[in-house]
């Protein structure tokens, strides 16, 4: 934890490129796979290097994963973008109804890490609490940021050729989804 805090402090003082350069020097193979702005992974790779004395890329090569031991199927559930966005909008409304503002107020009273301060929901509600925008604007911004995050996740997971994608609709029951999964594997 001390090391992680030290690395985050270095980011605040010198910026992300400084920390990324440290990773390039410590573990070029890991740096080639990690985007310079992916602060979480850059810090994690540096932590592993400083704590073990070995590059994370070397340790990852040695490990035997679940895929090596078992016949694993990775399933991705895919739905129409419009249906996904509708679910996101509904979930945003539900979160506000269930007390998101009060929850964020409590959280903001605590000392948060740089990563936690950037969590979806916190920054949008904070903007509302600070009077930068109305409640409706906060909801719209939260929904928009969640949609962008979902799009980035889909882009990331679509690169993984091991994933078997299954189209689902809003009318699919859990039983119907299970049947689709069984057919796919």
């Amino acid at each position: 934890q001390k090391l992680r805090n030290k690395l985050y402090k270095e980011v605040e003082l010198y910026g992300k490129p400084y920390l990324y350069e440290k990773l390039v020097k410590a573990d070029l193979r890991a740096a080639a796979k990690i985007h310079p702005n992916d602060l979480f992974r850059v810090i994690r790779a540096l932590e592993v290097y400083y704590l073990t004395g070995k590059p994370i890329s070397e340790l990852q090569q040695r490990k035997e994963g679940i895929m090596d031991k078992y016949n694993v199927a990775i399933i991705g559930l895919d739905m129409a973008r419009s249906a996904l966005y509708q679910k996101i909008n509904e979930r945003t409304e539900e979160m506000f109804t269930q007390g998101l503002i009060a929850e964020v107020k409590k959280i903001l009273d605590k000392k948060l890490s740089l990563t936690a301060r950037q969590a979806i929901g916190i920054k949008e509600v904070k903007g509302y609490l600070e009077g930068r925008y109305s409640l409706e604007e906060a909801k719209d911004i939260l929904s928009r940021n969640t949609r962008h995050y979902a799009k980035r996740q889909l882009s990331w997971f679509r690169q993984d050729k091991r994933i078997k994608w299954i189209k689902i609709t809003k009318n699919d029951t859990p039983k119907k989804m299970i049947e689709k999964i069984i057919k796919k594997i």
Side-chain angles (χ1 to χ4, degrees):
Q1 187 68 6
K2 282 184 183 178
L3 175 59
R4 182 174 299 164
N5 291 340
K6 178 183 176 282
L7 292 170
Y8 274 112
K9 190 59 110 180
E10 287 181 19
V11 170
E12 289 176 20
L13 292 172
Y14 309 114
K16 290 178 186 177
Y18 173 81
L19 214 58
Y20 188 75
E21 277 305 311
K22 283 182 130 180
L23 178 60
V24 168
K25 290 175 185 164
D27 187 353
L28 186 58
R29 280 190 302 172
K33 292 180 181 180
I34 299 173
H35 191 279
N37 290 332
D38 190 346
L39 192 57
F40 177 81
R41 292 181 68 211
V42 169
I43 286 177
R44 183 69 191 126
L46 285 171
E47 283 179 318
V48 168
Y49 178 74
Y50 291 138
L51 294 173
T52 67
K54 297 180 192 291
I56 195 169
S57 59
E58 180 185 320
L59 296 172
Q60 287 171 334
Q61 277 185 321
R62 286 192 212 161
K63 75 176 184 185
E64 187 177 282
I66 193 169
M67 302 293 271
D68 300 319
K69 292 182 178 183
Y70 303 99
N71 183 15
V72 174
I74 304 173
I75 303 296
L77 302 179
D78 191 18
M79 66 173 48
R81 187 78 43 107
S82 59
L84 175 62
Y85 288 178
Q86 180 62 37
K87 284 186 168 292
I88 288 170
N89 293 339
E90 290 168 4
R91 179 67 183 127
T92 298
E93 276 300 324
E94 186 181 328
M95 287 171 21
F96 275 91
T97 301
Q98 293 180 348
L100 179 62
I101 294 171
E103 188 176 332
V104 170
K105 280 181 183 176
K106 285 182 196 172
I107 290 171
L108 291 175
D109 287 340
K110 301 183 182 335
K111 186 174 178 179
L112 296 177
S113 71
L114 184 63
T115 304
R117 283 191 300 241
Q118 297 304 311
I120 293 177
I122 292 177
K123 57 187 175 186
E124 295 84 0
V125 171
K126 183 179 179 197
Y128 162 70
L129 293 171
E130 292 172 346
R132 286 187 275 141
Y133 32 79
S134 70
L135 181 59
E136 281 309 308
E137 288 172 310
K139 290 177 182 180
D140 289 344
I141 294 167
L142 176 55
S143 289
R144 181 201 65 207
N145 290 347
T146 305
R147 288 191 303 270
H148 289 171
Y149 184 67
K151 187 176 177 183
R152 285 193 308 275
Q153 284 182 317
L154 283 170
S155 295
W156 174 262
F157 285 118
R158 291 213 194 285
Q159 295 173 34
D160 190 335
K161 301 302 177 207
R162 300 169 303 169
I163 297 176
K164 296 175 182 172
W165 290 95
I166 297 172
K167 277 275 190 211
I168 60 170
T169 68
K170 61 183 176 185
N171 298 326
D172 281 342
T173 62
K175 182 180 178 190
K176 198 169 187 178
M177 284 190 273
I178 290 170
E179 289 169 0
K180 288 181 177 184
I181 291 169
I182 290 171
K183 284 181 189 173
K184 196 73 165 186
I185 56 175

